[in-house]
């Protein structure tokens, strides 16, 4: 195949010569980075296959259950596979978990009781959790059940404020929630080993406190997961990394058996717990998605590294920067204006396999405190392991880019975002 063939098809898709050439130049510099991302994917691929073999995943595991879902072999085996791959004692992996926020809400409300206190030692949690906790008053929040909340912000340089964390832990502190990913903030994402250090500190102050990690967007970015460095619970969404782009719904809660059980009693009811919950035919996509997740996550990480390098060289602030190690799949790019954020997101949308012909606009979304623009031409609605971008329309006008089921598609999306900024006269190449 000759190179002009590839250039021509980029042109047919709307990428001009200058943008294409700039992309090629940047990609040339990333060979070593990409090789190390592939090495992580290789390890994680083997880890997943190993877990599937260990638990004797069989053809029968792909079958659907209905009704109560008693004795769903596929569901129960998949939970063992997740637990083993994530270094946990047990896991709850269910299509009845509607999204990541729901998984976190279930883990929190299943393990907290009236009079308990919840502590976040890493600053403000993800927007949608503000209502779960009751930071923003909300019907049915933990606050309404008499569960109080305390927060210690990260220090200026992104490190932990150990002194104030120690002061914040008291006799009522029952659970500490640690968000791995930056979410909609420009703070750094935490590495698994940093999380381990924080957990060790918290346990040195109060050994019986439950340490929970919001692991959204972090799965398989490194070779270890939070439960392997002392987390009692880790929680995530199957329409992000571990669903591998194939899971149509779902969330997981993994960790110590007792705490996973508490969450199961909240997800269904006391007494029933994990015993009920039909899988209605999703088992195959859950297994296959988990199997693909290491390589899909690697594709998304390559896209994030590529985006960082593309925009950093143009003078934009990017978090993480072009050289930093990765601990999640999110790339923040501060574009500085609403127009630039909208153009970027419209570029991501224009590169999608689904709904590429629509132009996303800012909108008020449930759970968020400002208008948000979301670009996602996804096979699974709102799936953010697929190529997607989100931005709250408020200063500093940062866009959060993530996903890409293949590296090649992530590359197209980033080039298209740049194309829209060039077309709008915001960027000059
Ligand atoms: C996505 C995300 C959530 C919430 O997940 P939803 O599936 O959108 O409800 C929570 N925390 C973090 C860090 C996330 O990235």
């Amino acid at each position: 195949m000759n190179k002009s063939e590839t250039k021509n098809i980029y042109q047919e898709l709307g990428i001009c010569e200058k943008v294409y050439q700039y992309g090629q130049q940047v990609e040339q510099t990333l060979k070593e980075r990409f090789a190390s991302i592939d090495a992580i994917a290789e390890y994680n691929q083997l880890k997943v296959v190993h877990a599937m073999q260990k638990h004797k995943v069989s053809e029968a595991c792909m079958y659907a259950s209905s009704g109560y879902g008693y004795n769903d072999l596929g569901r129960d085996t998949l939970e063992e596979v997740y637990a083993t791959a994530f270094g946990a004692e047990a896991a709850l992996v269910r299509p009845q978990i509607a999204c990541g926020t729901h998984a976190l809400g279930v883990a929190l409300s299943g393990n907290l009781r009236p009079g308990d206190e919840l502590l976040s030692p890493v600053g403000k949690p993800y927007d949608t959790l503000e209502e779960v906790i009751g930071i923003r008053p909300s019907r049915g929040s933990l606050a309404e059940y008499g569960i109080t909340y305390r927060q210690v912000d990260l220090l200026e340089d992104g490190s932990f404020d150990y002194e104030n964390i120690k002061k914040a832990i008291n006799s009522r502190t029952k659970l500490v929630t640690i968000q791995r990913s930056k979410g909609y903030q420009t703070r750094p994402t935490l590495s698994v080993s940093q999380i381990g250090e924080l957990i060790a500190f918290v346990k040195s102050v109060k050994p019986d406190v439950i340490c929970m990690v919001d692991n959204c967007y972090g799965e398989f970015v490194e070779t270890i997961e939070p439960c392997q460095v002392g987390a009692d619970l880790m929680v995530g969404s199957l329409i992000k990394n571990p669903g591998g782009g194939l899971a149509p719904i779902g969330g997981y809660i993994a960790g110590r058996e007792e705490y996973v059980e508490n969450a199961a009693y909240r997800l269904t009811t006391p007494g029933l717990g994990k015993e009920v919950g039909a899988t209605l035919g999703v088992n195959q996509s859950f297994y296959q998605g988990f199997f693909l997740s290491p390589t899909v996550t690697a594709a998304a990480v390559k896209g994030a590294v590529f985006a960082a390098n593309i925009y950093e060289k143009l003078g934009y602030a990017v978090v993480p920067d072009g050289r930093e190690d990765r601990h999640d799949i999110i790339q923040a790019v501060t574009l500085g204006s609403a127009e630039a954020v909208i153009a970027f997101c419209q570029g991501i949308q224009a590169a999608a396999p689904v709904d590429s012909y629509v132009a996303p606009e800012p909108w008020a979304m449930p759970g968020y405190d400002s208008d948000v623009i979301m670009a996602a031409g996804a096979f699974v609605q709102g799936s953010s392991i697929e190529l997607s971008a989100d931005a709250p329309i408020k200063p500093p006008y940062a866009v959060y880019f993530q996903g890409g089921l293949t590296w090649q598609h992530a590359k197209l999306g980033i080039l298209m975002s740049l194309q829209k900024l060039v077309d709008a006269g915001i960027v000059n190449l």
Side-chain angles (χ1 to χ4, degrees), residues 14-272:
I15 304 295
C16 75
E17 170 89 26
K18 268 189 181 165
V19 168
Y20 172 73
Q21 291 301 354
Y22 178 63
Q24 292 306 100
Q25 258 175 38
V26 170
E27 188 181 345
Q28 276 305 316
T29 65
L30 297 174
K31 289 210 165 92
E32 270 176 43
R33 271 317 275 292
F34 282 17
S36 66
I37 294 165
D38 285 335
I40 293 171
E42 182 177 0
Y43 179 86
N44 286 330
Q45 181 71 80
L46 299 177
K47 184 165 78 175
V48 168
V49 170
H50 197 29
M52 289 184 175
Q53 293 179 350
K54 178 178 174 197
H55 294 290
K56 298 194 163 52
V57 173
S58 65
E59 188 193 344
C61 291
M62 308 302 143
Y63 298 162
S65 64
S66 63
Y68 293 97
Y70 292 138
N71 305 315
D72 185 320
L73 174 73
R75 178 196 66 204
D76 296 346
T77 305
L78 181 68
E79 289 178 339
E80 291 177 341
V81 169
Y82 260 69
T84 295
F86 287 163
E89 287 175 8
L92 187 65
V93 185
R94 300 289 168 121
Q96 285 80 16
I97 299 177
C99 61
T101 305
H102 186 203
L104 289 157
V106 165
L108 289 171
S109 53
N111 283 288
L112 289 162
R113 297 290 180 270
D116 287 344
E117 188 160 274
L118 168 66
L119 169 68
S120 171
V122 296
K124 188 182 91 62
Y126 194 77
D127 283 34
T128 57
L129 283 178
E130 291 186 14
E131 284 175 284
V132 171
I133 297 167
I135 300 171
R136 274 184 288 143
S138 181
R139 263 186 284 174
S141 69
L142 295 174
E144 283 199 347
Y145 286 91
I147 294 154
T148 56
Y149 170 72
R150 217 177 260 256
Q151 172 179 318
V152 177
D153 289 337
L154 294 172
L155 294 171
E156 200 84 26
D157 64 356
S159 63
F160 305 124
D161 184 353
Y162 285 120
E163 197 185 316
N164 283 310
I165 292 169
K166 188 171 183 178
K167 281 188 200 151
I169 296 171
N170 59 60
S171 62
R172 295 198 300 113
T173 310
K174 173 74 172 295
L175 194 150
V176 167
T177 181
I178 300 166
Q179 183 178 308
R180 176 171 175 182
S181 173
K182 69 180 88 50
Y184 282 154
Q185 292 170 67
T186 44
R187 67 132 161 118
T189 286
L190 306 175
S191 70
V192 174
S193 82
Q194 281 175 301
I195 289 170
E197 285 162 28
L198 178 56
I199 291 172
F201 178 78
V202 167
K203 299 247 178 195
S204 76
V205 180
K206 190 172 185 184
D208 61 347
V209 79
I210 302 169
C211 290
M212 180 186 94
V213 175
D214 174 352
N215 204 35
C216 281
Y217 289 129
E219 299 88 357
F220 297 125
V221 174
E222 299 183 42
T223 54
I224 51 168
E225 300 291 342
C227 285
Q228 294 169 284
V229 294
D232 300 302
L233 282 172
M234 56 186 251
V235 181
S237 162
L238 297 204
I239 62 169
K240 294 178 178 172
N241 310 15
L246 295 185
I249 190 171
Y252 76 86
I253 298 166
R256 294 205 180 279
E257 182 132 35
E258 177 191 355
Y259 305 139
V260 171
E261 200 73 19
N262 285 342
Y265 285 146
R266 172 56 61 139
L267 177 65
T268 64
T269 76
L272 298 182

Side-chain angles (χ1 to χ4, degrees), residues 347-357 376-378 387 409 412-413 416:
I348 296 297
Q349 187 80 34
V354 179
D355 292 335
S356 62
Y357 53 88
L387 184 70
H409 185 228
L412 172 65
M416 195 66 87

Side-chain angles (χ1 to χ4, degrees), residues 359-395:
E361 300 283 349
W363 206 257
M365 295 274 303
Y368 296 90
D369 69 354
S370 70
D371 279 3
V372 178
I373 182 167
M374 294 195 165
F379 296 104
V380 172
Q381 189 197 88
S383 166
S384 49
I385 186 63
E386 297 186 51
L387 184 70
S388 52
D390 322 81
I393 304 293
K394 61 183 180 188

